[in-house]
Structures are given as C-alpha cells and as structure tokens.
Amino acid sequence: MAELHLHDVSVRFGGLQALAEVNFSLMPGEIVGLIGPNGAGKTTVFNVITGVYSASGGHVEYNGENLTGLKPYQVLHKGIARTFQNIRLFQNMTALENVMVAQHSRSSCGVFGAIFRTPTQKREEARIKEKAMEELRFAELDEFADEVASSLPYGHQRRLEIARALASEPSSILLDEPAAGLNPAESSELMETIRKISERGINVLMVEHDMKVVMGICQRLVVLDHGVMIAKGNPEEIQKNPAVIEAYLGN
Amino acid sequence: MIWLFVLLWPLLGIKPEGLEVATTFSVWWRIAIGCASILVIYQLNSVGAFNFITKPVGEAVGGAKKATSTLPFAVWAFAILAFAVAYPHLFGRYAQDVAINCMIYICLGLGLNVVVGLAGMLDLGYIAFYGLGAYTYALLSVHYKLAFWICLPISAGVAGLGACIIGYCSMRMRGDYLAIVTLGFAEIVRMVLNNWMSLTNGPNGITGIKAPGMYWPDFANGMTLEHLWLKKLSLIYYVILALVIFTIIAVYRLNHSRIGRAWEAIREDETAAEVMGIPTFYMKLLGYCTGACFGGMAGAFYAARMRFVSPESFTFLESAMVLSMVVLGGMGSIPGVILGALALIALPEIFRDFELYRMLVFGGVMTLMMLFRPQGLLPPKRRMKAEKD
Ligand SMILES: Nc1ncnc2c1ncn2[C@@H]1O[C@H](COP(=O)(O)OP(=O)(O)OP(=O)(O)O)[C@@H](O)[C@H]1O
Ligand SMILES: [Mg+2]
C-alpha cells in the first residue's frame, strides 16, 4: 500500500507564486479531491508530483522515497500515473496501442529482441497486449480497440486516458478533471469507475470542478486558492468552511 | 502562377554559353499548357464538374481494392518476391543497375523512416551515416582486407556510434533546431572526408575496395567450397535484395514492438509519452542510432558495389532526396517509402531524355503532393482510417 506526502511544496514561475508551502497526504485506499477556483494551482500540484515541474521548495515523498529530481518516467515507474486536463492521447495511434504504450516501463525488450522476435520478446508482447485489453475492458472500450484515438467520441477519449494510466500498473492515480465535458449520465458512470479503481487498491487523487462528483466519492478534500492551501477535511466540513465559501464566491 | 511563368522563360534559357531565350520557348509553352490544364482541371474538380467520371471510377477502384484485399498478404508478398528474384534474368544490365540503385535508396529510406516517420525527428543529415558506413567498409577492406560480411555489421555499428555522439549533443533540441544541427553535422562529416588526406585520400576517394565474397559449393571438384567474388551485377543484385528484405523485416518488427510504439508515442506527444513512462531522451537517441545503423549498412553495400568511394556521393542533395522519398511515400509507412524510392529513382531513369528539367518536375511534383495529398502516396494504414471518419 502506497503513501504520498507533499511536504511544504512551493512552485514559482518567475514572479508568480503558483504554489506556496502545500502540505497534504494521500493515504492507502483513499479517494482525495483537490479543489479550488480556476488558476488555483491544482494542475501544478500534479505536475510537481509527476516530475514535469520541479519544486522550488519542499519535496514530494512516495512510499518513503523522495521524488525530487526524478524524471516523469521514473515517477511513473514508482507507481504514480496520471491523466491530463486537456486530453493528451497519442492521436494517430489506435486505442489499444495507446494503452499498450503505458506498459513500456513494465517491460524490457530491446531493439535486437524486436528485430529477431526472440521467444522472450514474443511472450512479453503477448503479456502487454493481454494487460492492455484487460484495461480496455475495464473502461468498457474493448470494442473500440482498433479505432484510432482521435476518431473516438470525447467521453470515450476521457475513459481511454484513464485506461492508459491504469495500464501502467500504478499504485496511485492522479485524475485531472476527469468529468470535464461529460454529460450527467457519463459523470455518474465515471463515479462508478473511480470507485472501482479504488476497490482495486489504487489510491485516487482527483482534481474536479463538478461538486456533485467531488462530494459523491471523495473521502477527503484539499482546497487550494492562489497556490495556498486554505482548507482540508471531509466534504461536510469543507462545505461549511467560511474560507472556502469566500474563495469560491469571491469578494 | 503567372509570375512563375514569366520567370521560368529566361531561367530555362540559362546555358553556359549565355542566355538563349528563343530556343527554350518550345519547352516553355509545353510546361505552361501543362500547368494551365492542371489548374483548369483542379478548378473544375473542386466545382464538381467531373462527378460523372470520378464516381464510376471511384467505385471501380473500390471494387478492385476489395478484390485485391481478399487475396491474402502472403500471396502478394510471394508474387513480389518472385518477381524480384527473377528480375536479373528478365532484364539487361542497365535495368539491373537501376534496380540496385533503387534498392540502396529503399534501404536508406526505410532507415530514415525510423527517425522521421516513427520517432518524428526531422533529420536533414541522414546521408552522413551512409557515408560513414561506406568509408568504414572502404578503409577496412583496403587496409585490413576484411570481408564484406564482417564489415557490414561493423559499418552499421560505426554509423550507429556516430549517431550516438551527435544525438547525445542534439537530442535536447526539437523540430527545426534538430534539423539544422543534423544538417550541420552532415556537412562536417563530408568536410572531414574531403580534407583528411592521410586517411580518406580526400576528394580523390578510395579505390580498390573488394566486392562481397561468398563460399559456393563447387560440384565439379567434389564437394569443396569455392570462394567467389560477387562482382557480376546480377550476383550483387541478390546481395542488396537480401539487405532490403532484412531491412523491411527489421523495420516492420521494430514498428510493431514496444520500441516502435514508444517512438510513435514520442512523435505524437512527447510530454505525454514521458509521463506515461517512456524515457524520451534515451528512446529518441535509440531511434536516431537505429536509423543510422540501417544507413551504415546501405553505405557499406554502396562501397562494395562501386568499389570506389569519394565524398562527392554524400552531399546534402542526397539527404534531401532520401527525405523526399519518405515524405512522398508517406511517413511511417513501409510500402509508402518503397514506392517513394521507386518513384524518385526509377522514374527519372525512364524519362532520361528530359534530364534537364528533372529538378523542375521534381519540385513541381512535390508541391502538388503537398497540396493534394500531404499524408503521402501510401500513408500508414491506421492513419487512413482516421481520415475517413
Ligand atoms: N508553465 C507555466 N508557466 C507559467 N505559469 C504557469 C505555468 N503553469 C501554470 N502557470 C500558472 O500557475 C497558476 C496555476 O495554474 P494551474 O494550471 O495549476 O491552475 P489550475 O488550478 O489547474 O486551474 P484550472 O482550474 O483552470 O485548471 C496559473 O496562474 C497559471 O497561469
Ligand atoms: Mg488545471
């Protein structure tokens, strides 16, 4: 079981303090929501955790290891997978291939193995495909396996991104606004999917603006505003918190 | 368009002796009429005046496609292979020569396809690795009398090593910057080959390179193995044929492996690829080196076939040529690259009489391609699917 801790993480972009000493944890089995108004720094939190940006202060700890200075692919190898706010699939590849790519860090065959199709390579390739199909089935996308990603409807693309993240066999998954652009029926399906992910023993940290989704499935919430963590607690507490209400309604 | 023709007239007339505007008129008006009619056809087509022709033709083509697609791929492959094997017995020396040339470029095109088509890195200096491979075999053959078959992997290795060094310095750059760095590197290689007199004999080139040798069972003398130099054109044809087949299989298998998927992912979205667990820097370097290895092998063959190398054969024009094949045929598609190589090497040979205007037509065709079919003649399968939707 994996634990994620942020210790006083700060990020600066030139003169802009995007994050100021953010502290929170993601404990085993939890679904945590990260909320806040636009530009609060939620995506920046994800980028710091996954190594896309480096923190200007503080550090991120995963399973007792310091993630500072790791490249994004190394962070994924440690078990943290993510999705993107604006969908970033490999547009010209098929759905199946998209998901298979995520197995890269869990496989090892090289150029010579590929050219000469060694038995090890064949076995590995079969395993990758098996795993990818499994995740496509989980996301109910198996019938679209051979479709090109860009030709899928928007809602399917969102699910495909989640399937791709899951295919890397993560112990924690970070979802950046998974319900953005979905209709109410799709949103409730998504909530079901997220619950199932959690049941698989994967910790979930999600950024979401849709309060119905957030209040429905998150056990704990962390609220950011202008890079500052203004509140954390369970959904009932957060809903009553005056600082949160002010941040959302403005002054 | 009109400007083009106004300029074209005097340009066509430029001869070493001076300007001869009058004699070029006959050619000029042919080109002018050709272009004008293409323009008219294009305009009519966009209005839809040809629907009565294009519709039945389209249906016929669709029907033909269905008929051919029912034939399994193996039959096709076998038919093409049979033709390729029988080729030297069917055609004369000249045709064999053209075919060999063509196949060298197919190897180069496929190698570059790994870099440009799969990994999405624009490489304008690919020919440098061809040159490295050629010189590696030339030097090893002349100074150490090493056999071609031993040198083939060594040449690939040297080219790959060269690519590693360049790649390590330049892989941090993207897009256009990378293109310029690779272009510069190719020029450096050419300059070194040109000026390092003691090693490469400079612009005079290296002569006395051995052809590939082979052991052949000699039935006349009992079952002894006889050593044979593959000097005859038809024999050397089979060497390059084998090399082409190896390259096709290798590139196909790479494409359909974990490595190839990683390259494609990098081409599609580098940041997303890195976040999904692909060490992008390392994989790009690997792609660059793998492509260079194929180029090096083609180079070694080139040296063995010509039995002479000089820096002249490795100019920027060659790089541009190989790149055009990949772009013309369809980036990332193996049949596309083969078709591109055939189109750019074989067709000019057929139309030798118009040699003077080759570059002109070449430019025109490329422009038309970019306008009407930017994805190439035979784009990779799944991308065609994407466009239909
Ligand atoms: N690469 C960057 N360079 C400069 N500024 C950036 C960069 N990335 C984010 N920012 C800034 O940091 C702040 C936080 O951005 P972030 O994307 O984390 O917000 P967010 O909470 O995800 O907002 P949204 O709800 O709109 O997605 C914004 O003001 C943004 O403009
Ligand atoms: Mg965001």
Side-chain angles (χ1 to χ4, degrees), chain B residues 65-101:
Chain B
K65 252 189 199 157
K66 237 181 240 162
T68 50
S69 64
T70 48
L71 272 179
F73 169 74
V75 175
W76 274 106
F78 186 76
I80 293 172
L81 194 64
F83 175 72
V85 169
Y87 186 87
H89 303 293
L90 300 176
F91 299 95
R93 274 188 70 83
Y94 174 64
Q96 288 176 22
D97 202 56
V98 174
I100 290 174
N101 218 350

mmCIF file of all heavy atoms in Angstrom, chain B residues 65-101:
data_model
loop_
_atom_site.group_PDB
_atom_site.id
_atom_site.type_symbol
_atom_site.label_atom_id
_atom_site.label_comp_id
_atom_site.label_asym_id
_atom_site.label_seq_id
_atom_site.Cartn_x
_atom_site.Cartn_y
_atom_site.Cartn_z
ATOM 1 N N LYS B 65 -10.073 -2.716 -55.143
ATOM 2 C CA LYS B 65 -9.426 -2.801 -53.840
ATOM 3 C C LYS B 65 -9.964 -3.983 -53.060
ATOM 4 O O LYS B 65 -9.231 -4.738 -52.439
ATOM 5 C CB LYS B 65 -9.665 -1.510 -53.058
ATOM 6 C CG LYS B 65 -8.412 -0.666 -52.953
ATOM 7 C CD LYS B 65 -8.646 0.465 -51.986
ATOM 8 C CE LYS B 65 -7.605 1.545 -52.226
ATOM 9 N NZ LYS B 65 -8.041 2.835 -51.757
ATOM 10 N N LYS B 66 -11.309 -4.134 -53.119
ATOM 11 C CA LYS B 66 -11.925 -5.241 -52.397
ATOM 12 C C LYS B 66 -11.392 -6.560 -52.930
ATOM 13 O O LYS B 66 -11.033 -7.463 -52.182
ATOM 14 C CB LYS B 66 -13.450 -5.173 -52.574
ATOM 15 C CG LYS B 66 -14.180 -5.098 -51.228
ATOM 16 C CD LYS B 66 -15.669 -5.046 -51.449
ATOM 17 C CE LYS B 66 -16.262 -3.775 -50.867
ATOM 18 N NZ LYS B 66 -17.579 -3.475 -51.402
ATOM 19 N N ALA B 67 -11.325 -6.647 -54.279
ATOM 20 C CA ALA B 67 -10.858 -7.888 -54.898
ATOM 21 C C ALA B 67 -9.429 -8.200 -54.456
ATOM 22 O O ALA B 67 -9.097 -9.341 -54.132
ATOM 23 C CB ALA B 67 -10.930 -7.771 -56.415
ATOM 24 N N THR B 68 -8.589 -7.149 -54.442
ATOM 25 C CA THR B 68 -7.197 -7.404 -54.092
ATOM 26 C C THR B 68 -7.043 -7.687 -52.605
ATOM 27 O O THR B 68 -6.189 -8.463 -52.211
ATOM 28 C CB THR B 68 -6.296 -6.215 -54.460
ATOM 29 O OG1 THR B 68 -6.897 -5.041 -53.938
ATOM 30 C CG2 THR B 68 -6.114 -6.100 -55.952
ATOM 31 N N SER B 69 -7.899 -7.067 -51.800
ATOM 32 C CA SER B 69 -7.716 -7.262 -50.369
ATOM 33 C C SER B 69 -8.190 -8.641 -49.927
ATOM 34 O O SER B 69 -7.827 -9.107 -48.853
ATOM 35 C CB SER B 69 -8.426 -6.173 -49.570
ATOM 36 O OG SER B 69 -9.804 -6.280 -49.792
ATOM 37 N N THR B 70 -9.009 -9.306 -50.790
ATOM 38 C CA THR B 70 -9.392 -10.665 -50.418
ATOM 39 C C THR B 70 -8.210 -11.615 -50.590
ATOM 40 O O THR B 70 -8.130 -12.633 -49.914
ATOM 41 C CB THR B 70 -10.571 -11.162 -51.269
ATOM 42 O OG1 THR B 70 -10.275 -10.885 -52.631
ATOM 43 C CG2 THR B 70 -11.867 -10.494 -50.871
ATOM 44 N N LEU B 71 -7.314 -11.271 -51.546
ATOM 45 C CA LEU B 71 -6.098 -12.071 -51.677
ATOM 46 C C LEU B 71 -5.269 -11.866 -50.421
ATOM 47 O O LEU B 71 -5.046 -10.740 -50.016
ATOM 48 C CB LEU B 71 -5.287 -11.596 -52.893
ATOM 49 C CG LEU B 71 -5.622 -12.227 -54.233
ATOM 50 C CD1 LEU B 71 -4.742 -11.622 -55.304
ATOM 51 C CD2 LEU B 71 -5.445 -13.727 -54.183
ATOM 52 N N PRO B 72 -4.827 -12.938 -49.809
ATOM 53 C CA PRO B 72 -4.044 -12.740 -48.588
ATOM 54 C C PRO B 72 -2.726 -12.040 -48.887
ATOM 55 O O PRO B 72 -2.200 -12.094 -49.999
ATOM 56 C CB PRO B 72 -3.823 -14.165 -48.078
ATOM 57 C CG PRO B 72 -4.058 -15.049 -49.244
ATOM 58 C CD PRO B 72 -5.024 -14.344 -50.143
ATOM 59 N N PHE B 73 -2.226 -11.398 -47.849
ATOM 60 C CA PHE B 73 -0.993 -10.641 -47.973
ATOM 61 C C PHE B 73 0.155 -11.535 -48.435
ATOM 62 O O PHE B 73 0.996 -11.121 -49.222
ATOM 63 C CB PHE B 73 -0.661 -10.007 -46.621
ATOM 64 C CG PHE B 73 0.705 -9.418 -46.568
ATOM 65 C CD1 PHE B 73 0.983 -8.222 -47.222
ATOM 66 C CD2 PHE B 73 1.726 -10.063 -45.886
ATOM 67 C CE1 PHE B 73 2.243 -7.691 -47.183
ATOM 68 C CE2 PHE B 73 2.991 -9.533 -45.855
ATOM 69 C CZ PHE B 73 3.257 -8.341 -46.499
ATOM 70 N N ALA B 74 0.145 -12.798 -47.963
ATOM 71 C CA ALA B 74 1.244 -13.709 -48.291
ATOM 72 C C ALA B 74 1.373 -13.887 -49.802
ATOM 73 O O ALA B 74 2.484 -13.944 -50.336
ATOM 74 C CB ALA B 74 1.016 -15.055 -47.617
ATOM 75 N N VAL B 75 0.225 -13.962 -50.497
ATOM 76 C CA VAL B 75 0.261 -14.146 -51.945
ATOM 77 C C VAL B 75 0.955 -12.966 -52.599
ATOM 78 O O VAL B 75 1.819 -13.114 -53.463
ATOM 79 C CB VAL B 75 -1.170 -14.301 -52.493
ATOM 80 C CG1 VAL B 75 -1.147 -14.369 -54.007
ATOM 81 C CG2 VAL B 75 -1.821 -15.533 -51.902
ATOM 82 N N TRP B 76 0.570 -11.774 -52.140
ATOM 83 C CA TRP B 76 1.190 -10.568 -52.672
ATOM 84 C C TRP B 76 2.679 -10.583 -52.447
ATOM 85 O O TRP B 76 3.473 -10.364 -53.359
ATOM 86 C CB TRP B 76 0.610 -9.339 -51.974
ATOM 87 C CG TRP B 76 -0.631 -8.882 -52.629
ATOM 88 C CD1 TRP B 76 -1.905 -9.025 -52.164
ATOM 89 C CD2 TRP B 76 -0.740 -8.244 -53.896
ATOM 90 N NE1 TRP B 76 -2.788 -8.515 -53.058
ATOM 91 C CE2 TRP B 76 -2.112 -8.024 -54.127
ATOM 92 C CE3 TRP B 76 0.182 -7.843 -54.845
ATOM 93 C CZ2 TRP B 76 -2.574 -7.413 -55.279
ATOM 94 C CZ3 TRP B 76 -0.277 -7.239 -55.998
ATOM 95 C CH2 TRP B 76 -1.637 -7.032 -56.206
ATOM 96 N N ALA B 77 3.056 -10.845 -51.204
ATOM 97 C CA ALA B 77 4.468 -10.823 -50.858
ATOM 98 C C ALA B 77 5.221 -11.826 -51.722
ATOM 99 O O ALA B 77 6.295 -11.532 -52.252
ATOM 100 C CB ALA B 77 4.653 -11.155 -49.383
ATOM 101 N N PHE B 78 4.610 -13.003 -51.909
ATOM 102 C CA PHE B 78 5.281 -14.034 -52.677
ATOM 103 C C PHE B 78 5.442 -13.599 -54.128
ATOM 104 O O PHE B 78 6.507 -13.776 -54.723
ATOM 105 C CB PHE B 78 4.484 -15.337 -52.593
ATOM 106 C CG PHE B 78 5.188 -16.484 -53.241
ATOM 107 C CD1 PHE B 78 6.255 -17.102 -52.591
ATOM 108 C CD2 PHE B 78 4.816 -16.924 -54.493
ATOM 109 C CE1 PHE B 78 6.925 -18.140 -53.194
ATOM 110 C CE2 PHE B 78 5.490 -17.970 -55.109
ATOM 111 C CZ PHE B 78 6.547 -18.586 -54.458
ATOM 112 N N ALA B 79 4.393 -13.015 -54.696
ATOM 113 C CA ALA B 79 4.455 -12.586 -56.093
ATOM 114 C C ALA B 79 5.548 -11.541 -56.274
ATOM 115 O O ALA B 79 6.365 -11.624 -57.210
ATOM 116 C CB ALA B 79 3.107 -12.015 -56.516
ATOM 117 N N ILE B 80 5.602 -10.579 -55.351
ATOM 118 C CA ILE B 80 6.615 -9.527 -55.470
ATOM 119 C C ILE B 80 8.004 -10.123 -55.322
ATOM 120 O O ILE B 80 8.931 -9.807 -56.078
ATOM 121 C CB ILE B 80 6.365 -8.429 -54.413
ATOM 122 C CG1 ILE B 80 5.065 -7.695 -54.740
ATOM 123 C CG2 ILE B 80 7.526 -7.452 -54.373
ATOM 124 C CD1 ILE B 80 4.623 -6.729 -53.688
ATOM 125 N N LEU B 81 8.136 -11.021 -54.368
ATOM 126 C CA LEU B 81 9.438 -11.647 -54.130
ATOM 127 C C LEU B 81 9.877 -12.438 -55.359
ATOM 128 O O LEU B 81 11.029 -12.357 -55.799
ATOM 129 C CB LEU B 81 9.344 -12.565 -52.913
ATOM 130 C CG LEU B 81 10.685 -13.008 -52.354
ATOM 131 C CD1 LEU B 81 11.447 -11.799 -51.833
ATOM 132 C CD2 LEU B 81 10.491 -14.028 -51.253
ATOM 133 N N ALA B 82 8.936 -13.189 -55.935
ATOM 134 C CA ALA B 82 9.264 -13.993 -57.111
ATOM 135 C C ALA B 82 9.736 -13.089 -58.237
ATOM 136 O O ALA B 82 10.742 -13.363 -58.908
ATOM 137 C CB ALA B 82 8.045 -14.798 -57.545
ATOM 138 N N PHE B 83 9.040 -11.983 -58.410
ATOM 139 C CA PHE B 83 9.437 -11.044 -59.451
ATOM 140 C C PHE B 83 10.827 -10.500 -59.169
ATOM 141 O O PHE B 83 11.676 -10.431 -60.059
ATOM 142 C CB PHE B 83 8.425 -9.901 -59.531
ATOM 143 C CG PHE B 83 8.823 -8.836 -60.505
ATOM 144 C CD1 PHE B 83 8.755 -9.078 -61.873
ATOM 145 C CD2 PHE B 83 9.287 -7.612 -60.057
ATOM 146 C CE1 PHE B 83 9.141 -8.099 -62.771
ATOM 147 C CE2 PHE B 83 9.670 -6.635 -60.956
ATOM 148 C CZ PHE B 83 9.596 -6.880 -62.311
ATOM 149 N N ALA B 84 11.059 -10.136 -57.896
ATOM 150 C CA ALA B 84 12.351 -9.555 -57.535
ATOM 151 C C ALA B 84 13.474 -10.554 -57.767
ATOM 152 O O ALA B 84 14.557 -10.198 -58.236
ATOM 153 C CB ALA B 84 12.337 -9.109 -56.076
ATOM 154 N N VAL B 85 13.218 -11.831 -57.472
ATOM 155 C CA VAL B 85 14.259 -12.849 -57.659
ATOM 156 C C VAL B 85 14.511 -13.082 -59.139
ATOM 157 O O VAL B 85 15.651 -13.239 -59.580
ATOM 158 C CB VAL B 85 13.850 -14.166 -56.953
ATOM 159 C CG1 VAL B 85 14.786 -15.296 -57.360
ATOM 160 C CG2 VAL B 85 13.874 -13.980 -55.453
ATOM 161 N N ALA B 86 13.459 -13.065 -59.943
ATOM 162 C CA ALA B 86 13.606 -13.348 -61.369
ATOM 163 C C ALA B 86 14.143 -12.152 -62.140
ATOM 164 O O ALA B 86 14.625 -12.295 -63.262
ATOM 165 C CB ALA B 86 12.266 -13.774 -61.948
ATOM 166 N N TYR B 87 14.105 -10.995 -61.531
ATOM 167 C CA TYR B 87 14.406 -9.743 -62.222
ATOM 168 C C TYR B 87 15.697 -9.755 -63.038
ATOM 169 O O TYR B 87 15.692 -9.411 -64.219
ATOM 170 C CB TYR B 87 14.407 -8.607 -61.196
ATOM 171 C CG TYR B 87 14.559 -7.238 -61.768
ATOM 172 C CD1 TYR B 87 13.456 -6.526 -62.192
ATOM 173 C CD2 TYR B 87 15.815 -6.656 -61.887
ATOM 174 C CE1 TYR B 87 13.592 -5.266 -62.719
ATOM 175 C CE2 TYR B 87 15.964 -5.404 -62.425
ATOM 176 C CZ TYR B 87 14.856 -4.702 -62.835
ATOM 177 O OH TYR B 87 15.007 -3.459 -63.359
ATOM 178 N N PRO B 88 16.841 -10.173 -62.452
ATOM 179 C CA PRO B 88 18.085 -10.110 -63.226
ATOM 180 C C PRO B 88 18.056 -11.002 -64.453
ATOM 181 O O PRO B 88 18.791 -10.756 -65.411
ATOM 182 C CB PRO B 88 19.151 -10.591 -62.246
ATOM 183 C CG PRO B 88 18.527 -10.656 -60.934
ATOM 184 C CD PRO B 88 17.052 -10.671 -61.099
ATOM 185 N N HIS B 89 17.235 -12.043 -64.456
ATOM 186 C CA HIS B 89 17.171 -12.909 -65.622
ATOM 187 C C HIS B 89 16.268 -12.336 -66.693
ATOM 188 O O HIS B 89 16.333 -12.741 -67.848
ATOM 189 C CB HIS B 89 16.670 -14.296 -65.214
ATOM 190 C CG HIS B 89 17.516 -14.917 -64.151
ATOM 191 N ND1 HIS B 89 18.818 -15.308 -64.377
ATOM 192 C CD2 HIS B 89 17.273 -15.167 -62.846
ATOM 193 C CE1 HIS B 89 19.329 -15.787 -63.255
ATOM 194 N NE2 HIS B 89 18.408 -15.699 -62.307
ATOM 195 N N LEU B 90 15.415 -11.412 -66.296
ATOM 196 C CA LEU B 90 14.453 -10.869 -67.252
ATOM 197 C C LEU B 90 14.983 -9.625 -67.954
ATOM 198 O O LEU B 90 14.643 -9.363 -69.089
ATOM 199 C CB LEU B 90 13.144 -10.516 -66.534
ATOM 200 C CG LEU B 90 12.434 -11.672 -65.843
ATOM 201 C CD1 LEU B 90 11.208 -11.165 -65.106
ATOM 202 C CD2 LEU B 90 12.036 -12.725 -66.860
ATOM 203 N N PHE B 91 15.808 -8.852 -67.230
ATOM 204 C CA PHE B 91 16.198 -7.563 -67.781
ATOM 205 C C PHE B 91 17.711 -7.464 -67.935
ATOM 206 O O PHE B 91 18.456 -8.242 -67.339
ATOM 207 C CB PHE B 91 15.696 -6.434 -66.896
ATOM 208 C CG PHE B 91 14.217 -6.396 -66.777
ATOM 209 C CD1 PHE B 91 13.580 -7.003 -65.712
ATOM 210 C CD2 PHE B 91 13.448 -5.781 -67.748
ATOM 211 C CE1 PHE B 91 12.207 -6.994 -65.604
ATOM 212 C CE2 PHE B 91 12.073 -5.764 -67.647
ATOM 213 C CZ PHE B 91 11.452 -6.378 -66.573
ATOM 214 N N GLY B 92 18.108 -6.476 -68.687
ATOM 215 C CA GLY B 92 19.518 -6.321 -69.012
ATOM 216 C C GLY B 92 20.304 -5.600 -67.922
ATOM 217 O O GLY B 92 19.797 -5.316 -66.844
ATOM 218 N N ARG B 93 21.560 -5.335 -68.241
ATOM 219 C CA ARG B 93 22.487 -4.731 -67.281
ATOM 220 C C ARG B 93 21.986 -3.389 -66.769
ATOM 221 O O ARG B 93 22.043 -3.100 -65.581
ATOM 222 C CB ARG B 93 23.844 -4.500 -67.959
ATOM 223 C CG ARG B 93 24.764 -5.665 -67.928
ATOM 224 C CD ARG B 93 26.121 -5.235 -68.446
ATOM 225 N NE ARG B 93 26.807 -4.343 -67.503
ATOM 226 C CZ ARG B 93 27.496 -4.782 -66.466
ATOM 227 N NH1 ARG B 93 27.599 -6.066 -66.237
ATOM 228 N NH2 ARG B 93 28.098 -3.933 -65.662
ATOM 229 N N TYR B 94 21.509 -2.594 -67.717
ATOM 230 C CA TYR B 94 21.118 -1.232 -67.339
ATOM 231 C C TYR B 94 19.978 -1.267 -66.334
ATOM 232 O O TYR B 94 20.016 -0.592 -65.293
ATOM 233 C CB TYR B 94 20.716 -0.453 -68.593
ATOM 234 C CG TYR B 94 20.156 0.898 -68.298
ATOM 235 C CD1 TYR B 94 20.962 1.865 -67.703
ATOM 236 C CD2 TYR B 94 18.844 1.217 -68.599
ATOM 237 C CE1 TYR B 94 20.462 3.113 -67.419
ATOM 238 C CE2 TYR B 94 18.334 2.462 -68.313
ATOM 239 C CZ TYR B 94 19.142 3.407 -67.720
ATOM 240 O OH TYR B 94 18.634 4.637 -67.429
ATOM 241 N N ALA B 95 18.999 -2.099 -66.622
ATOM 242 C CA ALA B 95 17.849 -2.202 -65.721
ATOM 243 C C ALA B 95 18.281 -2.733 -64.363
ATOM 244 O O ALA B 95 17.781 -2.300 -63.315
ATOM 245 C CB ALA B 95 16.796 -3.117 -66.329
ATOM 246 N N GLN B 96 19.234 -3.657 -64.373
ATOM 247 C CA GLN B 96 19.730 -4.186 -63.098
ATOM 248 C C GLN B 96 20.420 -3.089 -62.302
ATOM 249 O O GLN B 96 20.263 -2.987 -61.083
ATOM 250 C CB GLN B 96 20.714 -5.323 -63.344
ATOM 251 C CG GLN B 96 20.033 -6.576 -63.843
ATOM 252 C CD GLN B 96 21.050 -7.647 -64.175
ATOM 253 O OE1 GLN B 96 22.157 -7.632 -63.679
ATOM 254 N NE2 GLN B 96 20.652 -8.573 -65.022
ATOM 255 N N ASP B 97 21.173 -2.293 -63.016
ATOM 256 C CA ASP B 97 21.878 -1.198 -62.363
ATOM 257 C C ASP B 97 20.892 -0.251 -61.686
ATOM 258 O O ASP B 97 21.074 0.143 -60.529
ATOM 259 C CB ASP B 97 22.693 -0.456 -63.419
ATOM 260 C CG ASP B 97 23.821 0.302 -62.780
ATOM 261 O OD1 ASP B 97 24.614 -0.343 -62.085
ATOM 262 O OD2 ASP B 97 23.870 1.536 -62.963
ATOM 263 N N VAL B 98 19.857 0.087 -62.434
ATOM 264 C CA VAL B 98 18.835 0.976 -61.867
ATOM 265 C C VAL B 98 18.189 0.325 -60.649
ATOM 266 O O VAL B 98 17.982 0.973 -59.615
ATOM 267 C CB VAL B 98 17.768 1.304 -62.929
ATOM 268 C CG1 VAL B 98 16.633 2.091 -62.300
ATOM 269 C CG2 VAL B 98 18.386 2.079 -64.074
ATOM 270 N N ALA B 99 17.905 -0.965 -60.762
ATOM 271 C CA ALA B 99 17.238 -1.660 -59.655
ATOM 272 C C ALA B 99 18.115 -1.652 -58.411
ATOM 273 O O ALA B 99 17.633 -1.438 -57.295
ATOM 274 C CB ALA B 99 16.910 -3.084 -60.062
ATOM 275 N N ILE B 100 19.423 -1.869 -58.603
ATOM 276 C CA ILE B 100 20.335 -1.879 -57.453
ATOM 277 C C ILE B 100 20.338 -0.512 -56.788
ATOM 278 O O ILE B 100 20.218 -0.386 -55.567
ATOM 279 C CB ILE B 100 21.752 -2.286 -57.905
ATOM 280 C CG1 ILE B 100 21.774 -3.758 -58.287
ATOM 281 C CG2 ILE B 100 22.758 -2.013 -56.803
ATOM 282 C CD1 ILE B 100 23.067 -4.218 -58.867
ATOM 283 N N ASN B 101 20.434 0.507 -57.621
ATOM 284 C CA ASN B 101 20.411 1.876 -57.120
ATOM 285 C C ASN B 101 19.152 2.129 -56.304
ATOM 286 O O ASN B 101 19.177 2.684 -55.217
ATOM 287 C CB ASN B 101 20.446 2.812 -58.331
ATOM 288 C CG ASN B 101 21.293 4.001 -58.039
ATOM 289 O OD1 ASN B 101 21.683 4.195 -56.890
ATOM 290 N ND2 ASN B 101 21.596 4.782 -59.044
#
